[in-house]
């Protein structure tokens, strides 16, 4: 029983490490060869996890071999456009100037219902409102509405805007995030001073962050009986 338990933990650690090495993509954003590697890694990990008669090293070596192959292919596709086209395919225009490109849908075996569903997910009701719709190599649909159907921006109204930076988390569940203090360009003395003005200590704070306008926002912990 303990052997199976520790084998499962070791394989879990190997698979998690492998997925981290592959990058920060979601399943829906993976290229075909990346999705295949992910499925195969899960399958290879489950076999020695269930069958303790199979040497654990065999499963680990197989997983590492797939990760190596994925890393090599990723590097090749990064450097070679031709290899990238062969392995990943190329984007396809399925709507152009408000008209569905029927030949392209037929070639991709992509039906109209799926197209309309993805348009609705992007708050597009009418096909005629679309300038271009492009089916990307990962299966996602990119939609470019016609100019008159796009949301109005500050640039359209000729309004000046001020710069907005990234928000930085400074305290999370009572713990000061020292790395973020440095990134935000403030020090711990400033933070403690701001907390003291509000009569708080770091352990009293559930969440505190410096917003995009450089204002400190603080949410106190709920008082528990």
């Amino acid at each position: 029983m303990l052997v199976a338990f520790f084998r499962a933990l070791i394989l879990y650690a190997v698979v998690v490490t492998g997925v981290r090495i592959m990058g920060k993509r979601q399943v829906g954003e993976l290229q075909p060869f990346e999705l295949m590697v992910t499925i195969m890694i899960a399958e290879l990990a489950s076999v020695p996890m269930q069958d303790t008669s199979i040497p654990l090293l065999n499963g680990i070596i197989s997983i590492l071999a797939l990760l190596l192959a994925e890393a090599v292919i990723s590097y090749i596709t990064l450097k070679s456009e031709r290899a990238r086209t062969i392995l990943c395919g190329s984007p396809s225009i399925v709507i152009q100037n408000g008209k569905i490109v029927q030949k392209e849908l037929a070639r991709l075996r992509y039906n109209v219902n799926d197209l309309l569903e993805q348009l609705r997910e992007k708050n597009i009701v009418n096909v005629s409102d679309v300038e271009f719709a492009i089916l990307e190599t990962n299966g996602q649909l990119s939609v470019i509405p016609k100019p008159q159907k796009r949301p109005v921006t500050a640039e359209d109204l000729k309004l000046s805007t001020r710069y907005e930076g990234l928000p930085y988390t400074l305290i999370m569940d009572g713990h000061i995030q020292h790395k973020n203090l440095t990134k935000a360009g403030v020090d711990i003395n400033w933070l403690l001073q701001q907390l003291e003005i509000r009569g708080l200590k770091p352990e009293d704070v559930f969440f505190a962050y410096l917003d995009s306008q450089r204002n400190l926002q603080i949410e106190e912990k709920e008082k528990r009986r």
Side-chain angles (χ1 to χ4, degrees):
M1 185 68 70
L2 285 176
V3 172
F5 176 76
F6 285 111
R7 283 168 66 98
L9 288 182
I10 293 171
L11 287 168
Y12 172 77
V14 172
V15 171
V16 169
T17 303
V19 172
R20 289 288 294 153
I21 291 173
M22 289 177 64
K24 295 185 177 181
R25 295 188 183 183
Q26 298 178 4
V27 174
E29 298 174 347
L30 296 176
Q31 296 294 339
F33 74 91
E34 294 173 326
L35 179 60
M36 179 185 66
V37 169
T38 303
I39 294 172
M40 292 179 67
I41 286 176
E43 185 66 23
L44 287 172
S46 64
V47 173
M49 194 180 297
Q50 295 172 355
D51 189 354
T52 55
S53 65
I54 299 175
L56 182 62
L57 189 60
N58 288 3
I60 294 176
I61 291 175
S62 300
I63 292 172
L64 293 178
L66 283 179
L67 289 173
L68 177 62
E70 194 275 335
V72 171
I73 293 175
S74 295
Y75 180 80
I76 293 173
T77 56
L78 181 66
K79 297 298 182 179
S80 172
E81 184 176 352
R82 183 176 181 183
R84 186 163 56 249
T85 301
I86 293 172
L87 292 171
C88 303
S90 56
S92 302
I93 297 176
V94 292
I95 298 178
Q96 185 171 0
N97 298 326
K99 299 291 184 181
I100 296 175
V101 184
Q102 299 179 29
K103 290 183 179 180
E104 196 66 16
L105 286 186
R107 186 183 71 83
L108 297 170
R109 297 184 297 280
Y110 188 70
N111 63 60
V112 177
N113 287 335
D114 290 338
L115 176 62
L116 296 177
E117 180 181 345
Q118 291 207 41
L119 288 176
R120 288 194 295 270
E121 289 177 355
K122 299 180 183 302
N123 298 320
I124 302 293
V125 179
N126 300 314
V127 174
S128 58
D129 295 340
V130 179
E131 188 76 33
F132 290 102
I134 304 167
L135 190 63
E136 307 292 354
T137 55
N138 60 7
Q140 299 294 322
L141 188 70
S142 299
V143 179
I144 303 174
K146 290 184 176 180
Q148 61 270 28
K149 296 295 181 178
R150 297 173 194 170
V152 177
T153 63
E155 184 179 5
D156 295 331
L157 300 176
K158 301 186 184 304
L159 297 176
S160 59
T161 58
R162 54 183 176 176
Y163 172 77
E164 291 187 357
L166 289 174
Y168 292 97
T169 300
L170 303 183
I171 299 177
M172 185 179 294
D173 199 16
H175 299 286
I176 297 175
Q177 308 297 306
H178 294 278
K179 289 184 179 180
N180 287 346
L181 285 175
T182 304
K183 292 178 181 179
V186 297
D187 57 23
I188 191 169
N189 293 327
W190 175 86
L191 178 61
L192 294 176
Q193 182 181 8
Q194 295 298 316
L195 294 176
E196 186 178 354
I197 293 173
R198 296 167 171 81
L200 298 172
K201 296 179 179 179
E203 54 268 25
D204 300 327
V205 178
F206 178 72
F207 183 61
Y209 67 98
L210 202 63
D211 65 18
S212 58
Q213 300 297 329
R214 307 288 297 177
N215 298 317
L216 181 63
Q217 307 292 342
I218 298 175
E219 183 176 341
E220 299 179 38
K221 287 184 178 179
E222 294 181 355
K223 304 297 182 182
R224 297 182 179 179
R225 296 180 181 177

